[in-house]
Amino acid sequence: MPMPAFEEYEPAGDCACRGCAQRRRTLARARAIRLRDGGHPAARGARRALVLATAAGVVLGGGGGAAVAVTAPAAGPAATDDPGPGSPQGGRTPLHGPKGGPVGKPGAPSGVKRIDRTTIINRAKLWLDAKVPYSMSEYWTDGYRQDCSGYVSMVWNLGSNEWTGSLDKFATKITKADLLPGDMLLFHNPADPNNGSHVVVFGGWADETQTHYIAYEQTRPTTRKLATPYGYWSNGSKYIPYRFNGVTGGIVPDDPAPPVPAPGDATVFPGAAKFGPGQTNDHVARLGRMLIERGAFRFYPKGVADRAWSEHDRLATQAFQTAQGWTGADADGIPGAHTWRLLVERTGKNIPPLVGAAPGPGGVRAYPGASVFRPGVAHDAIAALGRQLVKKGFGKHYTSGPGPRWSEADRRNVEAFQRAQGWRGAAANGYPGPETWRRLFA
C-alpha cells in the first residue's frame, strides 16, 4: 500500500470536522511554542513534524468518518458565467436549538413528513427572503445548518440536518424528464465529500428547451435563486435528479380543494396545481389565449400560447393581476380562482398597452384588443397606430392627424398596409388584429 502524501494546510475558520478542529488546536500550540523558543529552527522542525503526525492520524485512523481532504477552503461563487457553489458542507446532525445545542436525534428516512410542492417552494423562499448567510457550522433560527444540504433538509422539513451522502435515502431517483418543482439535483462526490459535493432544489424550467432551470440553493455568500444550466455550472453530468419520498400534490393543505369541473365545464377554476413551472396541459393554453385577448399579446413572441407553462405565461398573468390593482402575493403571476373568474367572464381591467414604450418580448408592443378599433372609440393606441402607419409609409388617407379617435382614414390606411403584406379578403379588412399590430411595431 503506497504511503499517502501530506502537506500543511490552513483549516477553514468555520469548519467543524475533526481534521480542521485538530489543525486549529495544533496551530494554537505552535504559536505558544514560538513565543517561548523565539523561533529557533529546531523548534520549527518539531512543529512541522507535529502537524504531519496529526494529519496522518486523522487520515489513517479514520476518526469515525470519511478521510479529510487536505485542501484549501473553496472560493466563493464567481460573479461571472460560472457562479459555482464553493460550498463545503457539514455532516449528519440533529436540529439545533436557540442556544446552539442539538435537539433530539437525526431523523429516519422511514419517518418522513408529508409535504406538497407549493409548501416546499415556499419554504425555499424563506431563506431566500431572509438572505441567510452560508456556513457549514452555524445553524439558522429554525435549527437547520446553513449549508447546501442543511438547506434541502429544511426545505423538505426533514427534522434533521442531512448531508449529500444521506439525502438520497429520503428520496427516489428520477429522470430529467420527470423533474418538477421541489425535487432536488444531487452531486455527491465520494472522493471529496465535504468540499466536492453539492445539492440544489429544482424550481422549474427556465426555458422551453430545458437547458436551464431555476435553482434554489444555499451557497456563499447567502441563499440564492438563479437560472442555472442543467445539471449545474460544473460537473453538470454528475448531478442526479431525485424526488422526495414525502412529496404530495401541488396544493397547500390549508387551502380548500378546488371544485372538480363537470365534463365540458370550462368556467370552473381547475386549481393552482395546473399552473406553474413544469406544467403542461390544456388549461395553460387556454389561460394564454384569454390573456392575449385581454392585452397580453406582447408577452407571447410567437403570437400564440401553447400547453407548456413558460415565463411568458407568468409575466402575462402578473401583468393582468397588476392591472386589477393587486400587489405582492396577489400579483405573483400564478392564476388563482379570482384571476380565472375575471378572465373567463371577461370582466375586470385589461392589461394596459405600452404605447410609446420599448417593445416587450419578441419586439412587440401591447396589442390593446380588437374592441379599441371601432367607430367612435377614442384611445391612445389609435394615435400610436396612426403614427406607425405614417412612419411605415401608409398614411396617405390622413387629411389631418392622425388622432386618438378611430376614423375611416385609419381603416383605409390599415387596409393598405394589410394588402402590402399579401393579405386579401377578411384578412385585409382594415381592422388591425394581433398580427397586423405585431408587423407594424416590429
Side-chain angles (χ1 to χ4, degrees):
M1 175 179 174
M3 290 296 294
F6 303 105
E7 60 182 71
E8 288 196 71
Y9 63 98
E10 287 297 321
D14 60 355
C15 181
C17 72
R18 286 187 65 185
C20 284
Q22 180 64 45
R23 174 69 174 132
R24 284 193 293 269
R25 289 193 293 270
T26 300
L27 289 175
R29 288 196 296 269
R31 282 191 290 270
I33 293 173
R34 185 183 302 113
L35 290 174
R36 291 194 299 268
D37 65 28
H40 192 277
R44 287 196 298 272
R47 289 197 301 273
R48 182 174 180 83
L50 179 60
V51 170
L52 296 180
T54 299
V58 171
V59 177
L60 298 179
V68 177
V70 185
T71 58
T80 57
D81 292 337
D82 184 5
S87 304
Q89 60 172 329
R92 192 165 185 250
T93 62
L95 292 182
H96 275 50
K99 296 182 180 180
V103 178
K105 298 179 180 180
S110 59
V112 297
K113 301 174 184 177
R114 305 296 285 173
I115 188 172
D116 63 274
R117 295 187 182 280
T118 302
T119 303
I120 289 175
I121 296 301
N122 286 339
R123 288 177 68 86
K125 293 177 180 177
L126 291 175
W127 281 23
L128 186 70
D129 295 339
K131 296 181 172 59
V132 175
Y134 172 84
S135 173
M136 62 178 291
S137 60
E138 298 294 325
Y139 295 81
W140 194 237
T141 55
D142 52 20
Y144 288 96
R145 191 177 56 248
Q146 296 165 212
D147 59 11
C148 63
S149 48
Y151 179 57
V152 174
S153 301
M154 181 278 297
V155 168
W156 283 355
N157 196 23
L158 295 183
S160 60
N161 288 286
E162 301 301 319
W163 74 308
T164 58
S166 63
L167 281 170
D168 63 323
K169 307 300 188 298
F170 294 80
T172 301
K173 190 181 298 185
I174 59 176
T175 67
K176 175 183 177 182
D178 294 328
L179 276 166
L180 291 173
D183 296 334
M184 75 171 174
L185 287 166
L186 174 69
F187 170 42
H188 180 65
N189 181 12
D192 190 5
N194 292 94
N195 286 325
S197 303
H198 192 49
V199 61
V200 305
V201 175
F202 180 83
W205 294 110
D207 54 26
E208 295 179 359
T209 63
Q210 297 189 351
T211 58
H212 287 71
Y213 66 98
I214 302 300
Y216 292 88
E217 59 180 319
Q218 183 67 6
T219 186
R220 292 189 175 107
T222 63
T223 316
R224 77 179 178 199
K225 173 187 177 184
L226 186 68
T228 304
Y230 188 85
Y232 200 70
W233 301 96
S234 57
N235 296 306
S237 62
K238 298 179 181 179
Y239 278 76
I240 300 174
Y242 285 88
R243 176 157 299 155
F244 177 44
N245 291 335
V247 73
T248 61
I251 302 172
V252 180
D254 292 339
D255 289 349
V260 178
D265 185 358
T267 65
V268 177
F269 178 54
K274 298 294 184 182
F275 307 99
Q279 296 300 316
T280 301
N281 54 68
D282 292 335
H283 301 294
V284 174
R286 183 168 184 236
L287 172 72
R289 291 194 297 270
M290 291 192 295
L291 287 167
I292 288 174
E293 292 176 359
R294 303 300 296 275
F297 185 78
R298 71 177 183 271
F299 295 102
Y300 294 88
K302 298 179 182 178
V304 296
D306 58 32
R307 299 177 69 253
W309 178 271
S310 69
E311 184 68 0
H312 307 301
D313 298 298
R314 189 191 69 79
L315 291 173
T317 303
Q318 187 176 52
F320 180 77
Q321 292 168 332
T322 302
Q324 313 313 309
W326 306 342
T327 59
D330 294 328
D332 60 0
I334 302 297
H338 193 186
T339 300
W340 188 262
R341 180 176 61 80
L342 294 178
L343 289 170
V344 169
E345 297 177 356
R346 293 181 171 84
T347 55
K349 298 179 181 179
N350 288 342
I351 299 172
L354 299 179
V355 176
V364 183
R365 288 179 170 82
Y367 176 62
S371 61
V372 169
F373 307 105
R374 293 293 182 267
V377 175
H379 197 285
D380 288 342
I382 297 174
L385 169 77
R387 291 192 295 270
Q388 198 69 6
L389 285 166
V390 172
K391 182 179 178 180
K392 295 277 188 176
F394 296 90
K396 69 176 183 179
H397 295 290
Y398 289 125
T399 57
S400 63
R405 187 171 296 278
W406 181 257
S407 67
E408 179 63 13
D410 293 307
R411 192 197 67 78
R412 294 178 66 185
N413 285 330
V414 171
E415 181 183 8
F417 176 78
Q418 290 170 331
R419 288 185 175 276
Q421 312 309 304
W423 304 340
R424 297 294 182 268
N429 60 6
Y431 293 97
E435 182 61 17
T436 299
W437 189 265
R438 186 187 69 81
R439 295 194 182 196
L440 268 172
F441 286 92

